[in-house]
Amino acid sequence: MSRITPFASPLLLGFDAMEKTLERLVKANDGYPPYNIERVFPDSSGAPDRLRITIAVAGFSRDELDITVEENQLVIRGRQAEQPERDYLYRGIAARQFQRMFVLADGMQVNGAALKNGLLSVDLVRPEPARMVRKINISLPE
């Protein structure tokens, strides 16, 4: 039985890479660490809407976190170093590494990131795209 994808329509051309990215995202994200995505409304200056991704990264320092944009993917990684000099009687807080990926729409830009009280906030902005209409000339055979 074949699987019908959301991009199977003959009217959607060139979305093969997006389909593969979505499949990879579904497999990669396991729910850890928890996160919020919120819309930050513009102030009276007329700035465009912003989005803020907030991830719970308790126990991670700034040096143990890495934020990159690869093509149209925002990738946030965390890796805590093991501390061999500790002798735990009970260990309920694991030093667990993670990778969280978000697909960014064309034009989305990372505006900055901040780490405060165990929460990593990444701000995104999407500037208003310039409306562009291009006339295509039709050639006639001679």
Side-chain angles (χ1 to χ4, degrees):
M1 184 171 181
S2 65
R3 184 176 68 113
I4 297 175
T5 65
F7 298 102
S9 171
L11 301 176
L12 297 173
L13 303 174
F15 286 92
D16 303 344
M18 178 64 74
E19 185 175 10
K20 290 176 185 172
T21 300
L22 289 174
E23 287 176 4
R24 194 168 59 239
L25 281 174
V26 168
K27 293 175 186 174
N29 290 330
D30 67 352
Y32 176 81
Y35 65 94
N36 293 334
I37 301 176
E38 62 183 304
R39 183 182 315 275
V40 179
F41 291 102
D43 53 16
S44 60
S45 69
D49 284 356
R50 294 179 306 157
L51 297 178
R52 177 172 293 145
I53 301 170
T54 304
I55 301 178
V57 292
F60 286 85
S61 70
R62 189 178 84 183
D63 296 334
E64 295 168 330
L65 297 169
D66 185 45
I67 303 171
T68 58
V69 177
E70 301 170 6
E71 296 177 5
N72 279 2
Q73 291 184 36
L74 172 65
V75 181
I76 302 170
R77 293 179 181 95
R79 182 177 308 235
Q80 287 182 320
E82 287 290 332
Q83 299 176 352
E85 67 275 359
R86 291 189 174 186
D87 182 24
Y88 292 100
L89 299 178
Y90 171 78
R91 186 164 187 184
I93 303 172
R96 183 175 173 188
Q97 65 182 4
F98 70 88
Q99 176 174 301
R100 178 66 73 182
M101 296 185 339
F102 300 90
V103 176
L104 302 179
D106 288 338
M108 292 289 292
Q109 300 171 351
V110 177
N111 206 23
L115 180 62
K116 182 177 179 183
N117 297 330
L119 297 174
L120 175 67
S121 297
V122 180
D123 288 340
L124 306 168
V125 65
R126 179 180 15 213
E128 278 295 316
R131 296 191 60 111
M132 187 172 91
V133 177
R134 193 176 96 195
K135 176 118 172 106
I136 308 298
N137 293 324
I138 301 172
S139 62
L140 296 173
E142 293 181 20

